[in-house]
Amino acid sequence: MVGGEREIFEQALPVLQSMGKKENIFYVGSNGVGEIVKIVNNILCGAIAATIAESFVLGVKAGADVETMAKVIGVSTGASWQLSNQFPLRAFNGSFQPGFMTDLLHKDLGLALDLAAENTTPIAMTALTRQMYEMARAEGFGAKTIPPY
């Protein structure tokens, strides 16, 4: 996600391609738009991760099998990249391998709330999601990674 002058982006593209796949490098607009797109992505990342975790805990406690839920939901309307790729590697197997700190996602969600306030845009789900990560921080998980990241 790169914002700035298009001409400079084109000049920097070979360097960016040496760090990542060409199809995953996006020119998104003027200066600052890259940060906006990243913030929007992180809102979805945080909310989706929290919702998957919450819903699967409910399912297991109510008697459903994790693998069965993952298979069914993976081809249903609740499917997501995180459910298909990250949760099997990091949560469903119980490993919860390191990746992204709870404190950092909490910070990013705060940036999203700030951006929303600047643009007079209510984002109630993001506020609720940030509170969920605040609860994890209050329990001492701030410096620990969040599953499934």
Side-chain angles (χ1 to χ4, degrees), residues 57-85:
V57 167
L58 173 61
V60 168
K61 286 189 173 189
D65 176 69
V66 169
E67 289 182 21
T68 301
M69 286 190 295
K71 285 178 187 174
V72 171
I73 295 166
V75 296
S76 300
T77 57
S80 73
W81 184 89
Q82 287 181 318
L83 177 62
S84 297
N85 294 282

Side-chain angles (χ1 to χ4, degrees), residues 85-102 143-149:
N85 294 282
Q86 293 300 311
F87 269 81
L89 295 174
R90 312 223 188 265
F92 294 159
N93 66 9
S95 68
F96 300 101
Q97 291 295 313
F100 196 73
M101 286 191 313
T102 301
K144 294 185 180 179
T145 58
I146 56 168
Y149 246 48

Side-chain angles (χ1 to χ4, degrees), residues 2-140:
V2 181
E5 294 180 35
R6 180 74 179 204
E7 181 180 315
I8 295 172
F9 167 77
E10 296 296 339
Q11 291 172 4
L13 192 54
V15 174
L16 297 172
Q17 289 173 344
S18 73
M19 296 184 284
K21 295 179 184 178
K22 182 178 183 176
E23 61 271 15
N24 293 340
I25 300 168
F26 299 94
Y27 175 75
V28 295
S30 62
N31 285 338
V33 177
E35 182 179 5
I36 292 167
V37 174
K38 181 181 184 304
I39 286 171
V40 169
N41 182 72
N42 287 350
I43 290 171
L44 292 167
C45 172
I48 291 167
T51 303
I52 293 170
E54 183 177 84
S55 61
F56 272 70
V57 167
L58 173 61
V60 168
K61 286 189 173 189
D65 176 69
V66 169
E67 289 182 21
T68 301
M69 286 190 295
K71 285 178 187 174
V72 171
I73 295 166
V75 296
S76 300
T77 57
S80 73
W81 184 89
Q82 287 181 318
L83 177 62
S84 297
N85 294 282
Q86 293 300 311
F87 269 81
L89 295 174
R90 312 223 188 265
F92 294 159
N93 66 9
S95 68
F96 300 101
Q97 291 295 313
F100 196 73
M101 286 191 313
T102 301
D103 280 342
L104 293 177
L105 186 54
H106 182 266
K107 174 206 47 101
D108 288 349
L109 294 170
L111 292 173
L113 292 168
D114 292 345
L115 182 64
E118 291 169 15
N119 288 278
T120 322
T121 304
I123 53 173
M125 294 302 295
T126 302
L128 178 58
T129 300
R130 188 165 194 254
Q131 284 299 308
M132 293 178 74
Y133 289 100
E134 182 63 36
M135 290 169 26
R137 294 174 75 221
E139 292 293 323

